[in-house]
Amino acid sequence: MWSGPRNLSTAMMYSFAQRADCAVWDEPFYAAYLEETDLDHPMREAVIAAGEPDMARVIDRCLGPVPDGHSLFYQKHMTHHLLDHWPLDWLADVTNVFLIRHPARVVASYLRKRETPVFDDLGFRQQTRLFEHVEGTGQKPVIIDCDDILADPKAALSALCDALDMPFDPAMLGWDRGPKPFDGAWAPHWYGAVHRSTGFGQPEPDLPRIDPAFAPLVERAMPTYQAIHARRLRAC
């Protein structure tokens, strides 16, 4: 599952973790991304210490045996964590889904957690690169939009499971409140809202107003979002 930050990605991971047949992994490349870029992110040293800083080893584990004997392996990936010069050939050996969200909602949510983001922090450019690569392998990537999930979680998740040729499990619609043992080390900074939740919540209201200083981020992301949004999975 590929998304940018603040895209309902943790809630989706929690949803799939409710399946008895599914293992989950929270942002596998985060430690390697921080180690190589030297970016100053919240809890940077803790993230690197808790994760795998070797990109090649992360890829091997993504392709390796599914943990704990499960039949499904849900990997919650951030598009911007896969650096441009890292290999993409392994994507042909996994099923790729793209989780998208309107740029205004992404920017508004990101600003509540980290000040002064730049465009590459939001993952839209990298999303396009990964999407085009996956299509180039002959695989038809599945696209699902956050607004559709929140509007009708059961219908959206049922359609997603159908697209992935797996049965829908009603357990995916809810989870216990609080932190999870599979949360990444960064959870105390980023996961407050989802820790207070027991499900997907209500549909979001009208688009938020964005500080004019950050409006160019939304404008730059819109063509990418609109192009992929037009091809999104639609619940029947």
Side-chain angles (χ1 to χ4, degrees):
M1 181 68 76
W2 295 100
S3 77
R6 320 308 294 170
N7 271 232
L8 208 70
S9 57
T10 306
M12 286 291 285
M13 177 178 68
Y14 282 14
S15 173
F16 271 82
Q18 303 312 301
R19 300 180 61 105
D21 58 357
C22 190
V24 301
W25 192 6
D26 195 5
E27 300 186 25
F29 288 99
Y30 199 2
Y33 166 78
L34 290 180
E35 178 77 6
E36 181 151 340
T37 62
D38 205 31
L39 290 170
D40 183 20
H41 276 214
M43 303 185 67
R44 169 189 159 80
E45 297 306 321
V47 172
I48 294 174
E52 172 53 72
D54 186 321
M55 166 270 296
R57 290 181 178 178
V58 176
I59 293 175
D60 285 344
R61 184 176 164 192
C62 286
L63 298 175
V66 179
D68 303 320
H70 291 301
S71 57
L72 301 175
F73 193 6
Y74 184 98
Q75 300 167 11
K76 173 196 164 191
H77 291 294
M78 297 288 103
T79 58
H80 60 295
H81 287 174
L82 206 60
L83 297 176
D84 289 352
H85 59 284
W86 288 357
L88 298 181
D89 58 314
W90 63 279
L91 297 184
D93 297 319
V94 297
T95 300
N96 296 277
V97 183
F98 289 82
L99 176 65
I100 63 173
R101 190 185 189 193
H102 193 286
R105 300 193 193 282
V106 172
V107 172
S109 181
Y110 196 97
L111 287 171
R112 290 194 289 270
K113 291 293 184 179
R114 184 168 180 248
E115 297 178 352
T116 62
V118 298
F119 189 66
D120 270 4
D121 290 330
L122 305 177
F124 289 102
R125 179 188 66 80
Q126 301 92 328
Q127 175 183 272
T128 298
R129 171 176 172 263
L130 295 177
F131 187 86
E132 291 176 349
H133 176 85
V134 170
E135 280 204 313
T137 68
Q139 185 180 142
K140 184 179 180 180
V142 178
I143 307 154
I144 189 164
D145 191 281
C146 292
D147 284 342
D148 295 331
I149 297 170
L150 294 177
D152 192 336
K154 183 177 180 180
L157 292 176
S158 295
L160 176 60
C161 289
D162 186 59
L164 298 176
D165 196 26
M166 66 177 68
F168 168 70
D169 186 340
M172 298 172 71
L173 297 175
W175 47 84
D176 292 335
R177 193 184 311 271
K180 306 294 181 286
F182 47 81
D183 285 344
W186 50 91
H189 181 84
W190 294 99
Y191 291 0
V194 74
H195 284 169
R196 294 189 294 272
S197 73
T198 57
F200 284 100
Q202 299 301 310
E204 295 186 290
D206 293 341
L207 293 176
R209 297 184 64 180
I210 303 297
D211 184 315
F214 298 102
L217 296 177
V218 176
E219 294 170 4
R220 186 175 174 186
M222 282 302 297
T224 290
Y225 170 75
Q226 290 170 331
I228 296 182
H229 179 266
R231 301 172 61 183
R232 75 193 189 280
L233 185 67
R234 298 175 188 268
C236 296

